[in-house]
Amino acid sequence: MTVSRMLPRAVAVAAAALTIAVTMAPPPAQATDYKNEYKVSTVIPVPFPWGIAAEEWARLVAERTDGRITMKLYPGAQLVAGEQTKEFTALRRGGIDMAVGSTINWSPQIVELNLFSLPFLMPDYAALDALTQGPVGARLFEIIRENGVEPLGWAENGFREVSNSRHAIATPEDLAGMKMRVVGSPLFNDTFTALGANPAQMSWADAKPALTTGAVDGQENPLTIFAIAKMHEVGQTHVTLWHYMADPLIFGVSHKVWETFTPEDQEILRQAAIDAGAKGIEVARAGLTADDESLIEEIEGQGVTVTRLTDAQRQMFVDATQDVYETWANKIGRDLVTQAEESIANR
């Protein structure tokens, strides 16, 4: 057979093989395959910074995709029947499409997220930024990704301060015997027990009624929550600014959903989360910085006594919780904690 007669046959065979390969290849994601609506889980709604960040994310995504991706917020952790600590599991399994989740609430499944709850690790916002925006934040995102959720950006619930209805708290002894509402995390329980308090774990939905009736004496939360929820009206007349831990938020998408989006839409979702997170952080810090204490002044104007710790007083709390810090540093991973300590020292 001559070369000229062989060539058409070779071309035909190659064409047939290409046709088979194309036919068998999985089709690329198309907007027509998208859900009519994506469910987004949050715990706290607007007007809290948490809800504002989530709402802004949904708005930006809808705008930047020309409506191809529509997101509906479900606050109050209603997609998991109010069980905040089950949110990450539902997200990983695809029962929830997306979430703006708390590092506290996700820590039962991702133990490394307890880093932000180590008592008195982060003294200020610069320290918090050094973690979320540096190598520690990048490593935490890798761990979350390995567990079936695509992390896109950071937002913020804020530094958690302590309040109560009995008296000012300036030393660990002031907490002795005090009944304190804490979130459902063993680390919080250990921290307040070390300080001599009697911690009671309960959801936020149960916290205000308990404070109103006096079933508990106090609680710990960011001051934005204290102010918007009008905690002074349920007897919380003493606040101590101790910055004992912070609660960053993470924009996440279930991998079962993430993989259905085109690369272009994935990038839109990611950048929208980053932009929405920046807005949420700005709102969470408003009135709480050295050059603007307007929110603190507003709380004081409501008849609340605000105690600011001296360095020596803060150190007393650090010393009282040192054993808790060391125990949990080992659970979280000593290498990660050391990296966090170095990032903060070099901020």
Side-chain angles (χ1 to χ4, degrees), residues 222-299:
L223 289 190
T224 52
I225 291 179
F226 185 97
I228 296 172
K230 301 184 184 302
M231 301 299 290
H232 67 286
E233 295 183 353
V234 293
Q236 295 298 285
T237 54
H238 297 276
V239 167
T240 295
L241 307 181
W242 64 348
H243 273 34
Y244 88 114
M245 58 83 60
D247 184 15
L249 307 175
I250 298 172
F251 295 82
V253 180
S254 170
H255 275 173
K256 294 180 183 298
V257 171
W258 182 251
E259 292 165 358
T260 69
F261 292 129
T262 65
E264 294 77 13
D265 283 340
Q266 287 178 347
E267 181 55 31
I268 289 174
L269 278 159
R270 190 184 305 279
Q271 189 57 52
I274 293 170
D275 295 342
K279 179 176 180 178
I281 290 171
E282 179 183 355
V283 174
R285 298 183 184 184
L288 296 172
T289 60
D291 57 351
D292 175 18
E293 291 193 342
S294 57
L295 183 57
I296 298 173
E297 293 166 359
E298 175 187 324
I299 291 171

Coordinates of all heavy atoms in Angstrom, one line a residue, residues 222-299:
P222 N -18.6 39.5 71.6 CA -18.1 40.8 71.1 C -19.0 41.9 71.5 O -20.2 41.7 71.7 CB -18.1 40.5 69.6 CG -18.0 39.1 69.4 CD -18.8 38.5 70.5
L223 N -18.4 43.1 71.6 CA -19.2 44.3 72.1 C -20.3 44.7 71.0 O -21.3 45.3 71.4 CB -18.3 45.4 72.4 CG -17.5 45.3 73.6 CD1 -16.8 46.7 74.0 CD2 -18.3 44.8 74.8
T224 N -20.1 44.3 69.7 CA -21.1 44.6 68.8 C -22.4 43.8 69.1 O -23.5 44.4 69.0 CB -20.7 44.2 67.3 OG1 -20.2 42.9 67.3 CG2 -19.6 45.2 66.9
I225 N -22.2 42.6 69.5 CA -23.4 41.8 69.9 C -24.0 42.4 71.2 O -25.2 42.5 71.4 CB -23.0 40.3 70.1 CG1 -22.7 39.7 68.7 CG2 -24.1 39.5 70.8 CD1 -22.3 38.3 68.8
F226 N -23.1 42.7 72.2 CA -23.6 43.3 73.4 C -24.5 44.5 73.2 O -25.6 44.7 73.8 CB -22.4 43.7 74.3 CG -22.8 44.2 75.7 CD1 -22.7 43.4 76.8 CD2 -23.2 45.5 75.9 CE1 -23.1 43.8 78.0 CE2 -23.5 46.0 77.2 CZ -23.5 45.1 78.2
A227 N -24.0 45.4 72.3 CA -24.7 46.7 72.0 C -26.0 46.4 71.2 O -27.1 46.9 71.6 CB -23.8 47.6 71.3
I228 N -25.9 45.7 70.1 CA -27.1 45.5 69.3 C -28.2 44.7 70.0 O -29.4 45.0 69.8 CB -26.7 44.9 67.9 CG1 -25.8 45.8 67.2 CG2 -27.9 44.5 67.1 CD1 -25.2 45.2 65.9
A229 N -27.8 43.7 70.8 CA -28.7 42.9 71.5 C -29.2 43.5 72.8 O -30.0 42.9 73.5 CB -28.1 41.5 71.8
K230 N -28.7 44.8 73.1 CA -29.1 45.5 74.3 C -29.0 44.7 75.6 O -29.9 44.5 76.4 CB -30.6 46.0 74.1 CG -30.8 46.9 72.9 CD -32.2 47.4 72.8 CE -32.5 48.2 71.6 NZ -31.6 49.3 71.4
M231 N -27.8 44.2 75.7 CA -27.5 43.3 76.9 C -27.6 44.1 78.2 O -27.9 43.4 79.3 CB -26.1 42.7 76.8 CG -25.9 41.9 75.5 SD -27.0 40.5 75.4 CE -26.4 39.5 76.7
H232 N -27.5 45.4 78.2 CA -27.7 46.1 79.4 C -29.1 46.0 80.0 O -29.4 46.2 81.2 CB -27.3 47.6 79.2 CG -28.3 48.4 78.3 ND1 -28.3 48.2 76.9 CD2 -29.2 49.3 78.6 CE1 -29.2 48.9 76.4 NE2 -29.8 49.6 77.4
E233 N -30.1 45.7 79.1 CA -31.5 45.6 79.5 C -31.8 44.3 80.2 O -32.8 44.1 80.7 CB -32.4 45.8 78.3 CG -32.3 47.1 77.6 CD -33.3 47.3 76.5 OE1 -33.9 46.3 76.1 OE2 -33.4 48.4 75.9
V234 N -30.8 43.3 80.1 CA -31.0 42.1 80.9 C -30.0 42.0 82.0 O -29.6 40.9 82.4 CB -30.9 40.8 79.9 CG1 -32.0 40.8 78.9 CG2 -29.6 40.8 79.2
G235 N -29.7 43.1 82.6 CA -28.9 43.2 83.8 C -27.4 43.1 83.6 O -26.6 43.1 84.6
Q236 N -26.9 43.1 82.4 CA -25.4 43.1 82.2 C -24.9 44.5 82.3 O -24.7 45.2 81.4 CB -25.1 42.5 80.8 CG -25.6 41.0 80.7 CD -24.9 40.1 81.7 OE1 -23.7 39.8 81.5 NE2 -25.6 39.7 82.7
T237 N -24.5 44.9 83.6 CA -24.1 46.2 83.9 C -22.6 46.4 84.1 O -22.2 47.5 84.4 CB -24.9 46.7 85.1 OG1 -24.6 45.8 86.2 CG2 -26.4 46.9 84.9
H238 N -21.9 45.3 83.9 CA -20.4 45.4 84.0 C -19.8 44.7 82.8 O -20.1 43.6 82.5 CB -20.0 44.8 85.3 CG -20.5 45.4 86.6 ND1 -19.9 46.5 87.1 CD2 -21.6 45.1 87.3 CE1 -20.6 46.9 88.2 NE2 -21.6 46.1 88.3
V239 N -18.9 45.4 82.2 CA -18.1 44.8 81.0 C -16.6 45.0 81.3 O -16.2 46.1 81.8 CB -18.5 45.5 79.7 CG1 -17.5 45.2 78.6 CG2 -19.9 45.2 79.3
T240 N -15.9 44.0 81.0 CA -14.4 44.0 81.1 C -13.8 43.8 79.7 O -14.1 42.8 79.1 CB -13.8 43.0 82.1 OG1 -14.3 43.3 83.4 CG2 -12.3 43.0 82.1
L241 N -13.0 44.8 79.3 CA -12.3 44.6 78.0 C -11.0 43.8 78.3 O -10.0 44.4 78.7 CB -12.0 46.0 77.4 CG -13.2 47.0 77.3 CD1 -12.7 48.3 76.7 CD2 -14.3 46.4 76.5
W242 N -11.0 42.5 77.9 CA -9.9 41.7 78.2 C -9.3 41.0 77.0 O -8.3 40.4 77.0 CB -10.2 40.7 79.3 CG -11.2 39.7 79.0 CD1 -12.1 39.6 78.0 CD2 -11.5 38.5 79.8 NE1 -13.0 38.5 78.1 CE2 -12.6 37.8 79.2 CE3 -11.0 38.0 81.0 CZ2 -13.1 36.6 79.7 CZ3 -11.5 36.8 81.5 CH2 -12.6 36.1 80.9
H243 N -10.1 41.1 75.8 CA -9.5 40.5 74.6 C -9.0 39.1 74.8 O -7.9 38.8 74.2 CB -8.4 41.4 74.0 CG -8.9 42.5 73.2 ND1 -10.1 43.2 73.4 CD2 -8.3 43.2 72.1 CE1 -10.2 44.2 72.5 NE2 -9.2 44.2 71.7
Y244 N -9.8 38.3 75.5 CA -9.2 37.0 75.8 C -9.1 36.0 74.7 O -8.3 35.1 74.7 CB -9.9 36.4 77.1 CG -11.1 35.5 76.8 CD1 -11.1 34.2 77.1 CD2 -12.3 36.1 76.3 CE1 -12.2 33.4 76.9 CE2 -13.4 35.3 76.1 CZ -13.4 34.0 76.3 OH -14.5 33.2 76.1
M245 N -10.0 36.2 73.7 CA -9.9 35.4 72.4 C -10.7 36.1 71.4 O -11.5 37.0 71.7 CB -10.4 34.0 72.6 CG -11.8 33.8 73.2 SD -13.1 33.9 71.9 CE -12.6 32.6 70.8
A246 N -10.6 35.7 70.1 CA -11.3 36.3 69.0 C -12.0 35.3 68.2 O -11.7 34.1 68.4 CB -10.4 37.1 68.1
D247 N -13.0 35.7 67.4 CA -13.8 34.8 66.7 C -13.8 35.1 65.2 O -14.8 35.7 64.7 CB -15.2 34.8 67.3 CG -16.1 33.8 66.7 OD1 -15.7 32.9 66.0 OD2 -17.4 33.9 66.9
P248 N -12.8 34.8 64.4 CA -12.9 35.0 63.0 C -13.9 34.2 62.3 O -14.3 33.1 62.9 CB -11.5 34.6 62.5 CG -10.6 34.5 63.7 CD -11.5 34.2 64.8
L249 N -14.4 34.7 61.2 CA -15.5 33.9 60.5 C -14.9 33.5 59.1 O -14.0 34.2 58.6 CB -16.7 34.8 60.2 CG -17.3 35.5 61.4 CD1 -18.4 36.4 61.0 CD2 -17.8 34.4 62.4
I250 N -15.4 32.4 58.6 CA -14.8 31.9 57.3 C -16.0 31.7 56.3 O -17.0 31.1 56.7 CB -14.1 30.5 57.6 CG1 -12.9 30.7 58.5 CG2 -13.7 29.9 56.2 CD1 -12.3 29.4 58.9
F251 N -15.8 32.2 55.1 CA -16.7 31.9 54.0 C -16.4 30.6 53.4 O -15.2 30.4 53.0 CB -16.6 33.0 52.9 CG -16.9 34.4 53.3 CD1 -16.0 35.2 54.0 CD2 -18.2 34.9 53.0 CE1 -16.4 36.5 54.4 CE2 -18.5 36.2 53.4 CZ -17.6 37.0 54.1
G252 N -17.3 29.7 53.4 CA -17.0 28.3 52.9 C -18.1 27.8 52.0 O -19.3 28.2 52.1
V253 N -17.7 26.9 51.0 CA -18.6 26.3 50.1 C -18.3 24.8 50.1 O -17.2 24.4 50.1 CB -18.4 26.8 48.7 CG1 -19.4 26.2 47.7 CG2 -18.5 28.3 48.6
S254 N -19.4 24.0 50.2 CA -19.2 22.6 50.2 C -18.6 22.2 48.9 O -18.9 22.7 47.8 CB -20.6 21.9 50.3 OG -20.5 20.5 50.0
H255 N -17.6 21.2 48.9 CA -17.0 20.8 47.7 C -18.0 20.1 46.7 O -17.8 20.2 45.5 CB -15.9 19.8 48.1 CG -14.6 20.4 48.4 ND1 -13.5 19.8 48.8 CD2 -14.2 21.7 48.3 CE1 -12.5 20.6 49.0 NE2 -12.9 21.8 48.7
K256 N -19.0 19.6 47.3 CA -20.1 19.0 46.4 C -20.7 20.1 45.5 O -21.2 19.8 44.4 CB -21.1 18.3 47.3 CG -20.6 17.1 48.0 CD -21.7 16.4 48.8 CE -21.1 15.2 49.7 NZ -20.6 14.1 48.8
V257 N -20.7 21.3 46.0 CA -21.3 22.4 45.3 C -20.2 23.1 44.5 O -20.4 23.5 43.3 CB -22.0 23.4 46.2 CG1 -22.4 24.7 45.5 CG2 -23.2 22.7 46.8
W258 N -19.1 23.3 45.1 CA -17.9 24.1 44.5 C -17.5 23.5 43.2 O -17.3 24.2 42.2 CB -16.8 24.1 45.5 CG -15.6 24.8 45.1 CD1 -14.4 24.3 44.7 CD2 -15.4 26.2 45.0 NE1 -13.5 25.3 44.3 CE2 -14.1 26.5 44.5 CE3 -16.3 27.3 45.2 CZ2 -13.6 27.8 44.3 CZ3 -15.8 28.6 45.0 CH2 -14.5 28.8 44.6
E259 N -17.5 22.2 43.1 CA -17.0 21.5 41.9 C -18.0 21.6 40.7 O -17.7 21.3 39.6 CB -16.8 20.0 42.2 CG -15.6 19.8 43.1 CD -15.5 18.5 43.8 OE1 -16.4 17.6 43.5 OE2 -14.6 18.2 44.5
T260 N -19.2 22.1 41.0 CA -20.2 22.3 39.9 C -20.1 23.6 39.2 O -20.7 23.9 38.2 CB -21.7 22.1 40.4 OG1 -22.0 23.2 41.3 CG2 -21.8 20.8 41.2
F261 N -19.3 24.6 39.8 CA -19.2 25.9 39.3 C -18.1 25.9 38.3 O -17.1 25.2 38.4 CB -18.9 26.9 40.4 CG -20.0 27.2 41.3 CD1 -19.8 27.1 42.7 CD2 -21.3 27.4 40.9 CE1 -20.8 27.3 43.6 CE2 -22.3 27.7 41.8 CZ -22.1 27.6 43.1
T262 N -18.2 26.8 37.3 CA -17.1 27.0 36.3 C -16.0 27.7 37.0 O -16.2 28.4 38.0 CB -17.6 27.9 35.1 OG1 -17.9 29.2 35.7 CG2 -18.8 27.3 34.4
P263 N -14.7 27.6 36.5 CA -13.6 28.3 37.1 C -13.9 29.8 37.2 O -13.4 30.4 38.2 CB -12.5 28.0 36.2 CG -12.8 26.6 35.6 CD -14.3 26.7 35.4
E264 N -14.5 30.3 36.2 CA -14.8 31.8 36.2 C -15.7 32.1 37.4 O -15.5 33.1 38.1 CB -15.4 32.2 34.9 CG -14.5 32.1 33.7 CD -14.4 30.7 33.2 OE1 -15.1 29.8 33.6 OE2 -13.5 30.4 32.3
D265 N -16.7 31.3 37.6 CA -17.7 31.6 38.7 C -17.0 31.3 40.1 O -17.4 32.0 41.1 CB -19.0 30.8 38.5 CG -19.9 31.5 37.5 OD1 -19.7 32.7 37.2 OD2 -20.8 30.8 36.9
Q266 N -16.2 30.3 40.1 CA -15.4 30.1 41.4 C -14.6 31.3 41.8 O -14.6 31.7 42.9 CB -14.5 28.9 41.2 CG -15.2 27.5 41.1 CD -14.2 26.4 40.9 OE1 -13.1 26.6 40.6 NE2 -14.7 25.1 41.1
E267 N -14.0 31.9 40.8 CA -13.2 33.1 41.1 C -14.1 34.3 41.6 O -13.7 35.0 42.4 CB -12.4 33.5 39.9 CG -11.5 34.7 40.1 CD -10.5 34.6 41.3 OE1 -10.1 33.5 41.6 OE2 -10.3 35.6 41.9
I268 N -15.3 34.4 41.0 CA -16.2 35.4 41.4 C -16.6 35.2 42.8 O -16.7 36.1 43.6 CB -17.4 35.5 40.4 CG1 -17.0 36.0 39.1 CG2 -18.5 36.3 41.0 CD1 -18.1 36.0 38.0
L269 N -17.0 34.0 43.1 CA -17.4 33.6 44.5 C -16.3 33.9 45.5 O -16.5 34.5 46.6 CB -17.7 32.2 44.6 CG -19.2 31.8 44.2 CD1 -19.2 30.3 43.8 CD2 -20.2 32.1 45.3
R270 N -15.0 33.6 45.1 CA -13.9 33.8 46.0 C -13.6 35.3 46.3 O -13.5 35.8 47.4 CB -12.6 33.2 45.5 CG -11.5 33.1 46.5 CD -10.2 32.5 45.8 NE -10.5 31.2 45.3 CZ -10.5 30.1 46.0 NH1 -10.3 30.2 47.3 NH2 -10.7 28.9 45.5
Q271 N -13.6 36.1 45.2 CA -13.3 37.5 45.3 C -14.4 38.2 46.0 O -14.2 39.2 46.8 CB -13.1 38.1 43.9 CG -12.5 39.6 44.0 CD -11.3 39.7 44.8 OE1 -10.3 39.0 44.6 NE2 -11.2 40.6 45.8
A272 N -15.7 37.8 45.8 CA -16.8 38.4 46.5 C -16.7 38.2 48.0 O -17.1 39.0 48.8 CB -18.1 37.9 45.9
A273 N -16.3 37.0 48.4 CA -16.1 36.6 49.8 C -15.0 37.5 50.4 O -15.2 38.0 51.5 CB -15.8 35.2 49.9
I274 N -13.9 37.7 49.7 CA -12.9 38.6 50.2 C -13.4 40.0 50.4 O -13.1 40.6 51.4 CB -11.7 38.5 49.2 CG1 -11.0 37.1 49.3 CG2 -10.6 39.6 49.6 CD1 -10.0 36.9 48.2
D275 N -14.1 40.5 49.4 CA -14.6 41.9 49.5 C -15.6 42.0 50.6 O -15.7 43.0 51.3 CB -15.2 42.3 48.1 CG -14.1 42.4 47.0 OD1 -12.9 42.4 47.4 OD2 -14.5 42.3 45.9
A276 N -16.5 41.0 50.7 CA -17.6 41.1 51.7 C -16.9 40.9 53.1 O -17.4 41.6 54.1 CB -18.6 39.9 51.5
G277 N -15.9 40.1 53.2 CA -15.2 39.9 54.5 C -14.6 41.2 54.9 O -14.6 41.6 56.1
A278 N -14.0 42.0 54.0 CA -13.4 43.3 54.3 C -14.4 44.2 54.9 O -14.1 44.9 55.9 CB -12.7 43.9 53.1
K279 N -15.6 44.2 54.3 CA -16.6 45.1 54.8 C -17.1 44.6 56.2 O -17.3 45.4 57.1 CB -17.8 45.1 53.9 CG -19.0 45.9 54.4 CD -20.1 46.0 53.4 CE -21.3 46.9 53.9 NZ -22.4 47.0 52.9
G280 N -17.2 43.3 56.4 CA -17.7 42.8 57.7 C -16.7 43.1 58.8 O -17.1 43.4 59.9
I281 N -15.4 43.0 58.5 CA -14.3 43.3 59.5 C -14.4 44.8 59.8 O -14.3 45.2 61.0 CB -13.0 42.9 58.9 CG1 -12.8 41.4 58.8 CG2 -11.8 43.5 59.8 CD1 -11.6 40.9 58.1
E282 N -14.6 45.6 58.8 CA -14.7 47.1 59.1 C -15.8 47.4 60.1 O -15.7 48.1 61.0 CB -14.9 47.8 57.8 CG -15.0 49.3 58.0 CD -15.3 50.0 56.6 OE1 -15.3 49.4 55.6 OE2 -15.5 51.3 56.7
V283 N -17.0 46.8 59.8 CA -18.2 47.0 60.7 C -17.9 46.4 62.1 O -18.3 47.0 63.1 CB -19.4 46.3 60.0 CG1 -20.6 46.4 61.0 CG2 -19.7 47.0 58.7
A284 N -17.3 45.2 62.1 CA -17.0 44.6 63.4 C -16.1 45.4 64.3 O -16.2 45.3 65.6 CB -16.5 43.2 63.2
R285 N -15.2 46.2 63.7 CA -14.2 46.9 64.5 C -14.7 48.4 64.7 O -14.0 49.1 65.5 CB -12.9 46.9 63.8 CG -12.3 45.5 63.7 CD -10.9 45.5 63.0 NE -10.5 44.1 62.8 CZ -9.2 43.8 62.4 NH1 -8.4 44.8 62.1 NH2 -8.9 42.5 62.2
A286 N -15.7 48.8 64.1 CA -16.1 50.2 64.2 C -16.4 50.6 65.7 O -17.2 49.9 66.4 CB -17.4 50.5 63.3
G287 N -15.8 51.7 66.1 CA -16.0 52.1 67.5 C -15.3 51.4 68.6 O -15.5 51.6 69.8
L288 N -14.4 50.5 68.1 CA -13.7 49.7 69.1 C -12.1 49.8 69.0 O -11.4 48.9 69.5 CB -14.1 48.2 68.9 CG -15.6 47.9 69.2 CD1 -15.9 46.5 68.8 CD2 -15.9 48.1 70.7
T289 N -11.7 50.8 68.3 CA -10.2 50.9 68.1 C -9.7 52.1 68.9 O -10.4 52.9 69.4 CB -9.9 51.1 66.6 OG1 -10.6 52.3 66.2 CG2 -10.4 50.0 65.8
A290 N -8.4 52.1 69.0 CA -7.7 53.2 69.8 C -8.1 54.6 69.3 O -8.2 55.5 70.2 CB -6.2 53.0 69.7
D291 N -8.3 54.8 68.0 CA -8.7 56.1 67.5 C -10.2 56.3 67.4 O -10.6 57.4 67.0 CB -8.0 56.4 66.2 CG -8.3 55.3 65.1 OD1 -9.0 54.3 65.5 OD2 -8.0 55.5 64.0
D292 N -11.0 55.3 67.8 CA -12.4 55.5 67.8 C -13.0 54.5 68.8 O -13.2 53.3 68.5 CB -12.9 55.2 66.4 CG -14.5 55.2 66.3 OD1 -15.1 55.8 67.2 OD2 -15.0 54.7 65.3
E293 N -13.4 55.0 69.9 CA -14.0 54.2 71.0 C -15.5 54.6 71.1 O -16.1 54.4 72.2 CB -13.3 54.4 72.3 CG -11.9 53.9 72.3 CD -11.3 53.8 73.7 OE1 -11.9 54.5 74.6 OE2 -10.4 53.0 74.0
S294 N -16.1 55.0 70.0 CA -17.5 55.4 70.1 C -18.5 54.4 70.6 O -19.4 54.7 71.3 CB -17.9 56.0 68.7 OG -17.8 55.0 67.7
L295 N -18.3 53.1 70.2 CA -19.2 52.0 70.6 C -19.0 51.8 72.1 O -20.0 51.6 72.8 CB -18.9 50.8 69.8 CG -19.9 49.6 70.2 CD1 -21.3 50.0 70.0 CD2 -19.6 48.4 69.3
I296 N -17.8 51.8 72.6 CA -17.5 51.7 74.0 C -18.2 52.8 74.8 O -18.8 52.6 75.8 CB -16.0 51.6 74.3 CG1 -15.4 50.4 73.6 CG2 -15.8 51.5 75.8 CD1 -13.9 50.4 73.7
E297 N -18.1 54.0 74.3 CA -18.7 55.2 74.9 C -20.2 55.1 74.9 O -20.9 55.5 75.9 CB -18.2 56.4 74.2 CG -16.7 56.7 74.4 CD -16.2 57.8 73.4 OE1 -17.0 58.3 72.6 OE2 -15.0 58.1 73.5
E298 N -20.7 54.5 73.8 CA -22.2 54.3 73.8 C -22.7 53.3 74.8 O -23.7 53.6 75.5 CB -22.6 53.8 72.4 CG -24.0 53.4 72.2 CD -24.3 52.7 70.9 OE1 -23.7 53.1 69.9 OE2 -25.2 51.8 70.9
I299 N -21.9 52.3 75.0 CA -22.3 51.3 76.1 C -22.1 51.9 77.5 O -23.0 51.7 78.3 CB -21.4 50.1 75.9 CG1 -21.7 49.3 74.6 CG2 -21.5 49.1 77.1 CD1 -20.7 48.2 74.3

